[in-house]
Amino acid sequence: MVQLSGRRVAERVGAAPWSVSIAVLCVVITAMTMAAAKWFISGSDGVLLFLLLMLVIGPPALLAASALLTVVYVLPAVILGHRLGRFAGDGRKWWWVAASTALGLLPAVGLPTGAWMLRGGAHDWRQVAIDGLLFAGALWTASLPASLAVHMTMLREDAGRPVRPTGDILIWGTLLLAIEVTLLLALSAP
């Protein structure tokens, strides 16, 4: 049990940082997928078909992608941000986590993009570079909320305060996704 600042014991036990990251990534990746689907799918029939596919194929793929991104990118970025903050003498601040998440884009996106540019030749290097920048922007947009959520979870855990359970994150995220789906359907109606 976690003890609150008022010397009472918390009734709910919080979540581990990796599970918070997976929960946040599930919500963020779903929101980004639905927002991107608006560009590729036209009409309300296409949106409904896409939503049905998301309900069938989406959960296992979403959970796998969120877990992989957490282990490979988010947790190392948070650890690097905390170490950079300690090394600089500032302690564990959120801006070090945001900077290390951006710094992690260099090997995560730069190396594959560079290899793709070398393989593709000199004639299409601009398009490959633009694709790499778009992928880097999407990766940073998806991973920054998860990195900051892990950072806040670790700070709350170290301070002895209760950590937000992943169920709350998923419930509020589902509410926001329902609003987004409603807006998508309303905007795609003729």
Side-chain angles (χ1 to χ4, degrees), residues 18-190:
W18 59 270
S19 62
V20 170
S21 173
I22 290 174
V24 170
L25 282 172
C26 283
V27 173
V28 170
I29 291 173
T30 304
M32 289 175 65
T33 303
M34 286 188 202
K38 178 68 174 140
W39 291 332
F40 300 113
I41 298 173
S42 62
S44 60
D45 293 337
V47 172
L48 289 175
L49 178 66
F50 174 74
L51 290 176
L52 286 174
L53 281 174
M54 283 288 291
L55 288 174
V56 174
I57 300 170
L62 184 64
L63 187 60
S66 297
L68 180 67
L69 192 59
T70 294
V71 170
V72 172
Y73 189 71
V74 171
L75 293 179
V78 172
I79 291 169
L80 178 65
H82 286 179
R83 288 198 179 169
L84 287 174
R86 284 190 199 131
F87 181 70
D90 289 342
R92 298 187 304 176
K93 304 288 185 191
W94 68 269
W95 54 81
W96 287 108
V97 174
S100 68
T101 304
L103 185 64
L105 292 175
L106 292 173
V109 177
L111 293 177
T113 302
W116 195 12
M117 289 170 101
L118 291 175
R119 185 184 59 93
H123 63 281
D124 64 346
W125 69 271
R126 288 184 183 101
Q127 184 61 41
V128 173
I130 289 172
D131 291 343
L133 286 174
L134 287 174
F135 177 68
L139 179 63
W140 194 67
T141 302
S143 63
L144 185 63
S147 297
L148 293 176
V150 168
H151 168 70
M152 295 303 296
T153 300
M154 292 176 74
L155 290 181
R156 290 183 67 89
E157 201 172 54
D158 290 347
R161 295 185 307 216
V163 178
R164 182 165 306 278
T166 56
D168 289 353
I169 295 169
L170 292 174
I171 287 171
W172 285 106
T174 303
L175 178 66
L176 292 174
L177 288 173
I179 292 169
E180 182 183 5
V181 167
T182 305
L183 288 173
L184 258 171
L185 289 174
L187 294 175
S188 66

